[in-house]
Short mmCIF file of all heavy atoms in Angstrom, two decimals:
data_model
loop_
_atom_site.label_atom_id
_atom_site.label_comp_id
_atom_site.label_asym_id
_atom_site.label_seq_id
_atom_site.Cartn_x
_atom_site.Cartn_y
_atom_site.Cartn_z
N GLY A 1388 -18.15 131.50 -20.16
CA GLY A 1388 -19.28 130.62 -19.87
C GLY A 1388 -20.22 130.43 -21.03
O GLY A 1388 -21.20 129.68 -20.93
N GLU A 1389 -19.94 131.09 -22.16
CA GLU A 1389 -20.83 131.00 -23.31
C GLU A 1389 -20.47 129.80 -24.19
O GLU A 1389 -19.31 129.35 -24.23
CB GLU A 1389 -20.77 132.29 -24.12
CG GLU A 1389 -21.32 133.49 -23.37
CD GLU A 1389 -21.30 134.75 -24.20
OE1 GLU A 1389 -20.29 135.46 -24.16
OE2 GLU A 1389 -22.31 135.03 -24.88
N VAL A 1390 -21.47 129.32 -24.92
CA VAL A 1390 -21.27 128.17 -25.79
C VAL A 1390 -20.36 128.53 -26.96
O VAL A 1390 -20.53 129.58 -27.59
CB VAL A 1390 -22.62 127.66 -26.33
CG1 VAL A 1390 -22.41 126.52 -27.32
CG2 VAL A 1390 -23.52 127.21 -25.17
N LEU A 1391 -19.40 127.67 -27.27
CA LEU A 1391 -18.53 127.85 -28.43
C LEU A 1391 -18.85 126.84 -29.53
O LEU A 1391 -18.84 127.19 -30.72
CB LEU A 1391 -17.05 127.71 -28.02
CG LEU A 1391 -16.05 127.65 -29.18
CD1 LEU A 1391 -16.15 128.86 -30.08
CD2 LEU A 1391 -14.63 127.49 -28.64
N THR A 1392 -19.13 125.60 -29.16
CA THR A 1392 -19.33 124.56 -30.18
C THR A 1392 -20.60 123.76 -29.89
O THR A 1392 -21.02 123.62 -28.74
CB THR A 1392 -18.15 123.58 -30.22
OG1 THR A 1392 -18.01 122.97 -28.92
CG2 THR A 1392 -16.86 124.26 -30.62
N ILE A 1393 -21.16 123.24 -30.96
CA ILE A 1393 -22.17 122.18 -30.86
C ILE A 1393 -21.64 121.04 -31.72
O ILE A 1393 -21.74 121.06 -32.94
CB ILE A 1393 -23.56 122.61 -31.37
CG1 ILE A 1393 -24.04 123.86 -30.64
CG2 ILE A 1393 -24.56 121.47 -31.19
CD1 ILE A 1393 -25.33 124.44 -31.21
N CYS A 1394 -21.01 120.08 -31.07
CA CYS A 1394 -20.55 118.88 -31.78
C CYS A 1394 -21.68 117.86 -31.77
O CYS A 1394 -22.59 117.93 -30.94
CB CYS A 1394 -19.29 118.32 -31.13
SG CYS A 1394 -17.85 119.41 -31.26
N TRP A 1395 -21.59 116.91 -32.68
CA TRP A 1395 -22.68 115.95 -32.85
C TRP A 1395 -22.18 114.55 -32.56
O TRP A 1395 -21.09 114.16 -33.01
CB TRP A 1395 -23.27 116.06 -34.26
CG TRP A 1395 -23.83 117.42 -34.49
CD1 TRP A 1395 -23.15 118.52 -34.95
CD2 TRP A 1395 -25.15 117.87 -34.19
NE1 TRP A 1395 -23.98 119.62 -34.96
CE2 TRP A 1395 -25.21 119.25 -34.52
CE3 TRP A 1395 -26.29 117.24 -33.70
CZ2 TRP A 1395 -26.37 120.00 -34.34
CZ3 TRP A 1395 -27.44 117.99 -33.54
CH2 TRP A 1395 -27.48 119.35 -33.85
N THR A 1396 -22.96 113.83 -31.78
CA THR A 1396 -22.58 112.45 -31.46
C THR A 1396 -22.50 111.64 -32.74
O THR A 1396 -23.10 111.98 -33.76
CB THR A 1396 -23.60 111.81 -30.51
OG1 THR A 1396 -24.88 111.79 -31.16
CG2 THR A 1396 -23.70 112.58 -29.21
N SER A 1397 -21.78 110.54 -32.67
CA SER A 1397 -21.50 109.77 -33.88
C SER A 1397 -22.73 109.10 -34.47
O SER A 1397 -22.71 108.67 -35.61
CB SER A 1397 -20.44 108.70 -33.58
OG SER A 1397 -20.87 107.86 -32.52
N GLY A 1398 -23.80 108.97 -33.69
CA GLY A 1398 -25.03 108.41 -34.24
C GLY A 1398 -25.03 106.91 -34.34
O GLY A 1398 -25.79 106.34 -35.13
N THR A 1399 -24.22 106.23 -33.56
CA THR A 1399 -24.22 104.77 -33.61
C THR A 1399 -25.45 104.20 -32.92
O THR A 1399 -25.80 103.04 -33.15
CB THR A 1399 -22.97 104.21 -32.91
OG1 THR A 1399 -22.89 104.74 -31.57
CG2 THR A 1399 -21.71 104.60 -33.67
N GLU A 1400 -26.11 104.98 -32.07
CA GLU A 1400 -27.29 104.49 -31.36
C GLU A 1400 -28.58 105.14 -31.88
O GLU A 1400 -29.64 104.55 -31.81
CB GLU A 1400 -27.15 104.77 -29.86
CG GLU A 1400 -25.95 104.08 -29.22
CD GLU A 1400 -25.75 104.55 -27.80
OE1 GLU A 1400 -26.58 105.31 -27.29
OE2 GLU A 1400 -24.74 104.18 -27.20
N ALA A 1401 -28.47 106.35 -32.38
CA ALA A 1401 -29.67 107.07 -32.83
C ALA A 1401 -29.20 108.19 -33.73
O ALA A 1401 -28.05 108.26 -34.09
CB ALA A 1401 -30.42 107.63 -31.61
N ARG A 1402 -30.12 109.05 -34.11
CA ARG A 1402 -29.73 110.19 -34.92
C ARG A 1402 -28.82 111.09 -34.08
O ARG A 1402 -28.95 111.15 -32.86
CB ARG A 1402 -30.96 110.95 -35.40
CG ARG A 1402 -31.87 110.12 -36.28
CD ARG A 1402 -32.82 110.98 -37.07
NE ARG A 1402 -32.15 111.62 -38.20
CZ ARG A 1402 -32.77 112.41 -39.07
NH1 ARG A 1402 -34.06 112.66 -38.94
NH2 ARG A 1402 -32.10 112.95 -40.06
#
Side-chain angles (χ1 to χ4, degrees):
E1389 294 182 271
V1390 176
L1391 170 57
T1392 59
I1393 304 173
C1394 294
W1395 299 87
T1396 61
S1397 57
T1399 54
E1400 299 172 5
R1402 298 198 76 179

